[in-house]
Amino acid sequence: MKGRLFIIAGCSGVGKGTLLNLFLERNPKIKLSISATTRKPRKGEQEGVNYFYISKEEFLNSIKNDEFLEWTEFSGNYYGTKKSFVEKTLNKGTDLILEIEVNGAKNVKAQKPDAVTIFIMPPSVEILEQRLRGRHTEDEETIQKRLNEAQREISEGQKFDYKIVNDNLEDALSNLQAVFDKEGAKNA
Ligand code: ADP
Ligand code: 5GP
Protein backbone atom coordinates (compact mmCIF):
# COMPACT_ATOMS: atom_id res chain seq x y z
CA MET A 1 0.00 0.00 0.00
CA LYS A 2 1.37 3.37 -0.98
CA GLY A 3 1.36 6.24 1.50
CA ARG A 4 -1.15 9.07 1.15
CA LEU A 5 -0.15 12.54 0.08
CA PHE A 6 -1.46 15.60 1.96
CA ILE A 7 -0.86 19.16 0.77
CA ILE A 8 -1.10 22.00 3.26
CA ALA A 9 -1.07 25.63 2.12
CA GLY A 10 -1.98 28.99 3.62
CA CYS A 11 -0.70 32.56 3.67
CA SER A 12 2.68 33.35 5.10
CA GLY A 13 2.26 33.94 8.85
CA VAL A 14 -1.07 32.08 9.16
CA GLY A 15 0.54 29.49 11.46
CA LYS A 16 1.28 26.51 9.18
CA GLY A 17 4.67 25.83 10.76
CA THR A 18 3.32 26.14 14.31
CA LEU A 19 0.38 23.82 13.56
CA LEU A 20 2.50 21.26 11.72
CA ASN A 21 5.16 21.05 14.44
CA LEU A 22 2.51 20.15 17.00
CA PHE A 23 0.63 17.87 14.60
CA LEU A 24 3.78 15.89 13.72
CA GLU A 25 4.71 15.49 17.40
CA ARG A 26 1.33 13.85 17.88
CA ASN A 27 1.54 11.82 14.65
CA PRO A 28 5.17 10.68 14.50
CA LYS A 29 4.66 8.21 11.64
CA ILE A 30 3.56 10.95 9.22
CA LYS A 31 6.49 12.64 7.43
CA LEU A 32 6.93 16.22 6.31
CA SER A 33 8.62 16.79 2.97
CA ILE A 34 11.67 19.05 3.08
CA SER A 35 11.78 21.47 0.16
CA ALA A 36 14.73 23.09 -1.54
CA THR A 37 14.86 26.89 -1.48
CA THR A 38 17.08 29.76 -2.53
CA ARG A 39 15.91 31.89 0.44
CA LYS A 40 18.39 32.45 3.26
CA PRO A 41 17.81 30.51 6.49
CA ARG A 42 15.94 32.42 9.22
CA LYS A 43 17.38 32.52 12.71
CA GLY A 44 16.95 29.07 14.24
CA GLU A 45 16.33 27.26 10.93
CA GLN A 46 18.54 24.31 10.04
CA GLU A 47 19.82 22.83 6.81
CA GLY A 48 18.05 19.55 6.06
CA VAL A 49 15.47 20.15 8.81
CA ASN A 50 13.51 23.18 7.60
CA TYR A 51 14.81 23.31 4.04
CA PHE A 52 17.74 22.38 1.84
CA TYR A 53 19.23 25.84 1.23
CA ILE A 54 20.72 25.94 -2.25
CA SER A 55 22.00 28.61 -4.65
CA LYS A 56 19.94 29.95 -7.54
CA GLU A 57 22.35 28.21 -9.91
CA GLU A 58 21.83 24.82 -8.24
CA PHE A 59 18.08 25.39 -8.27
CA LEU A 60 18.02 26.21 -11.99
CA ASN A 61 20.11 23.11 -12.63
CA SER A 62 17.61 20.91 -10.80
CA ILE A 63 14.78 22.41 -12.89
CA LYS A 64 16.75 21.64 -16.05
CA ASN A 65 17.32 18.05 -14.90
CA ASP A 66 13.57 17.62 -14.19
CA GLU A 67 14.19 16.81 -10.51
CA PHE A 68 11.18 18.73 -9.15
CA LEU A 69 7.62 17.44 -8.77
CA GLU A 70 6.74 21.14 -8.61
CA TRP A 71 8.55 24.41 -8.06
CA THR A 72 7.62 28.07 -7.85
CA GLU A 73 8.98 31.55 -7.36
CA PHE A 74 7.44 33.12 -4.26
CA SER A 75 8.22 36.54 -2.86
CA GLY A 76 11.55 36.75 -4.70
CA ASN A 77 12.86 33.25 -3.95
CA TYR A 78 12.61 29.81 -5.53
CA TYR A 79 11.03 26.87 -3.69
CA GLY A 80 10.65 23.30 -4.93
CA THR A 81 9.67 19.74 -3.99
CA LYS A 82 12.00 16.96 -5.13
CA LYS A 83 10.26 14.10 -7.01
CA SER A 84 12.66 11.47 -5.66
CA PHE A 85 11.89 12.26 -2.01
CA VAL A 86 8.12 12.16 -2.53
CA GLU A 87 8.13 8.92 -4.54
CA LYS A 88 10.51 7.12 -2.16
CA THR A 89 8.44 8.08 0.89
CA LEU A 90 5.07 7.15 -0.65
CA ASN A 91 6.43 3.86 -2.04
CA LYS A 92 7.52 2.89 1.49
CA GLY A 93 3.86 3.24 2.51
CA THR A 94 4.53 6.36 4.57
CA ASP A 95 2.00 9.22 4.56
CA LEU A 96 3.60 12.49 3.53
CA ILE A 97 2.73 16.17 3.99
CA LEU A 98 3.84 18.87 1.56
CA GLU A 99 3.70 22.35 3.09
CA ILE A 100 3.77 24.47 -0.05
CA GLU A 101 2.12 27.60 -1.50
CA VAL A 102 -1.08 27.56 -3.56
CA ASN A 103 0.43 27.36 -7.08
CA GLY A 104 2.55 24.38 -6.08
CA ALA A 105 -0.49 22.78 -4.43
CA LYS A 106 -2.55 23.17 -7.62
CA ASN A 107 0.28 21.77 -9.69
CA VAL A 108 0.68 18.64 -7.50
CA LYS A 109 -3.10 18.07 -7.30
CA ALA A 110 -3.23 18.08 -11.12
CA GLN A 111 -0.54 15.39 -11.24
CA LYS A 112 -1.83 13.42 -8.24
CA PRO A 113 -5.61 13.82 -7.95
CA ASP A 114 -5.69 11.49 -4.91
CA ALA A 115 -3.70 14.03 -2.89
CA VAL A 116 -5.74 15.69 -0.13
CA THR A 117 -5.50 19.51 -0.17
CA ILE A 118 -5.93 21.50 3.04
CA PHE A 119 -5.93 25.31 3.20
CA ILE A 120 -5.21 27.06 6.48
CA MET A 121 -7.20 30.30 6.73
CA PRO A 122 -6.42 33.27 8.96
CA PRO A 123 -9.28 34.49 11.23
CA SER A 124 -8.88 37.86 9.42
CA VAL A 125 -6.33 39.71 7.28
CA GLU A 126 -5.62 42.01 10.27
CA ILE A 127 -4.71 39.04 12.47
CA LEU A 128 -2.59 37.60 9.67
CA GLU A 129 -0.61 40.86 9.54
CA GLN A 130 -0.21 40.87 13.34
CA ARG A 131 1.15 37.31 13.27
CA LEU A 132 3.52 37.98 10.39
CA ARG A 133 4.87 41.09 12.13
CA GLY A 134 4.86 39.43 15.56
CA ARG A 135 7.18 36.69 14.31
CA HIS A 136 9.97 39.30 13.86
CA THR A 137 11.69 37.26 11.15
CA GLU A 138 11.14 39.45 8.06
CA ASP A 139 12.00 43.00 7.11
CA GLU A 140 9.27 45.48 6.08
CA GLU A 141 9.71 44.91 2.34
CA THR A 142 9.36 41.13 2.77
CA ILE A 143 6.30 41.55 5.03
CA GLN A 144 4.64 43.78 2.40
CA LYS A 145 5.37 41.28 -0.40
CA ARG A 146 3.91 38.45 1.66
CA LEU A 147 0.79 40.43 2.61
CA ASN A 148 0.30 41.33 -1.05
CA GLU A 149 0.16 37.62 -1.89
CA ALA A 150 -2.37 36.90 0.87
CA GLN A 151 -5.64 37.95 -0.79
CA ARG A 152 -4.92 35.95 -3.96
CA GLU A 153 -3.93 32.92 -1.88
CA ILE A 154 -7.12 33.11 0.20
CA SER A 155 -9.27 33.14 -2.94
CA GLU A 156 -7.31 30.20 -4.43
CA GLY A 157 -7.71 28.42 -1.08
CA GLN A 158 -11.49 28.24 -1.56
CA LYS A 159 -10.92 25.44 -4.10
CA PHE A 160 -9.08 23.19 -1.64
CA ASP A 161 -10.66 19.94 -0.39
CA TYR A 162 -10.64 21.21 3.22
CA LYS A 163 -10.37 24.67 4.83
CA ILE A 164 -9.35 25.12 8.45
CA VAL A 165 -9.36 28.48 10.24
CA ASN A 166 -6.36 28.86 12.55
CA ASP A 167 -7.93 31.05 15.23
CA ASN A 168 -7.56 29.06 18.43
CA LEU A 169 -4.54 26.79 17.92
CA GLU A 170 -5.92 23.72 19.73
CA ASP A 171 -9.21 23.92 17.78
CA ALA A 172 -7.31 24.18 14.50
CA LEU A 173 -5.19 21.18 15.52
CA SER A 174 -8.23 19.03 16.28
CA ASN A 175 -9.80 20.02 12.96
CA LEU A 176 -6.59 19.07 11.19
CA GLN A 177 -6.50 15.75 13.03
CA ALA A 178 -10.13 15.12 12.03
CA VAL A 179 -9.23 15.56 8.33
CA PHE A 180 -6.36 13.07 8.59
CA ASP A 181 -8.59 10.61 10.51
CA LYS A 182 -11.34 10.91 7.91
CA GLU A 183 -8.89 10.40 5.04
CA GLY A 184 -7.48 7.32 6.73
CA ALA A 185 -3.94 8.49 7.42
CA LYS A 186 -2.05 5.56 8.95
CA ASN A 187 -0.98 7.25 12.08
CA ALA A 188 -4.21 9.02 12.77
P1 ADP B 1 3.65 30.18 8.75
O1 ADP B 1 4.45 28.92 8.93
O2 ADP B 1 2.28 29.92 8.21
O3 ADP B 1 4.35 31.25 7.98
P2 ADP B 1 4.10 30.49 11.65
O4 ADP B 1 3.80 29.12 12.12
O5 ADP B 1 5.52 30.92 11.59
O6 ADP B 1 3.38 30.78 10.24
O7 ADP B 1 3.26 31.48 12.57
C1 ADP B 1 3.36 32.90 12.48
C2 ADP B 1 3.24 33.52 13.87
O8 ADP B 1 1.90 33.34 14.36
C3 ADP B 1 4.17 32.88 14.90
O9 ADP B 1 4.72 33.88 15.72
C4 ADP B 1 3.24 31.94 15.68
O10 ADP B 1 3.68 31.77 17.01
C5 ADP B 1 1.90 32.69 15.63
N1 ADP B 1 0.73 31.78 15.65
C6 ADP B 1 0.54 30.64 14.97
N2 ADP B 1 -0.68 30.11 15.22
C7 ADP B 1 -1.31 30.95 16.08
C8 ADP B 1 -2.60 30.96 16.73
N3 ADP B 1 -3.53 30.00 16.53
N4 ADP B 1 -2.89 31.99 17.54
C9 ADP B 1 -1.99 32.99 17.76
N5 ADP B 1 -0.75 33.03 17.20
C10 ADP B 1 -0.41 32.03 16.35
P1 5GP C 1 8.77 30.54 3.88
O1 5GP C 1 9.78 31.42 3.20
O2 5GP C 1 7.87 31.33 4.80
O3 5GP C 1 9.40 29.35 4.56
O4 5GP C 1 7.82 29.95 2.74
C1 5GP C 1 7.15 30.81 1.85
C2 5GP C 1 6.06 30.05 1.12
O5 5GP C 1 6.65 29.05 0.29
C3 5GP C 1 5.10 29.31 2.06
O6 5GP C 1 3.78 29.52 1.57
C4 5GP C 1 5.50 27.85 1.92
O7 5GP C 1 4.40 26.98 2.12
C5 5GP C 1 5.95 27.82 0.47
N1 5GP C 1 6.83 26.70 0.13
C6 5GP C 1 7.78 26.10 0.87
N2 5GP C 1 8.37 25.10 0.20
C7 5GP C 1 7.75 25.04 -1.00
C8 5GP C 1 7.90 24.19 -2.17
O8 5GP C 1 8.70 23.26 -2.23
N3 5GP C 1 7.08 24.46 -3.22
C9 5GP C 1 6.18 25.46 -3.22
N4 5GP C 1 5.42 25.61 -4.30
N5 5GP C 1 6.01 26.28 -2.16
C10 5GP C 1 6.79 26.07 -1.07
Side-chain angles (χ1 to χ4, degrees), residues 10 12 16 35-36 39 42 51 70-72 74 79-81 99-101 104 135 146 153:
S12 185
K16 301 179 296 296
S35 298
R39 118 157 135 61
R42 287 184 194 127
Y51 283 105
E70 63 76 35
W71 64 272
T72 198
F74 176 86
Y79 296 84
T81 309
E99 192 252 273
I100 59 180
E101 52 67 64
R135 192 167 68 184
R146 285 169 180 244
E153 291 174 308

Side-chain angles (χ1 to χ4, degrees), residues 61-69 83:
N61 233 354
S62 291
I63 296 176
K64 207 169 68 191
N65 295 331
D66 198 25
E67 291 169 24
F68 289 119
L69 175 63
K83 272 184 200 165

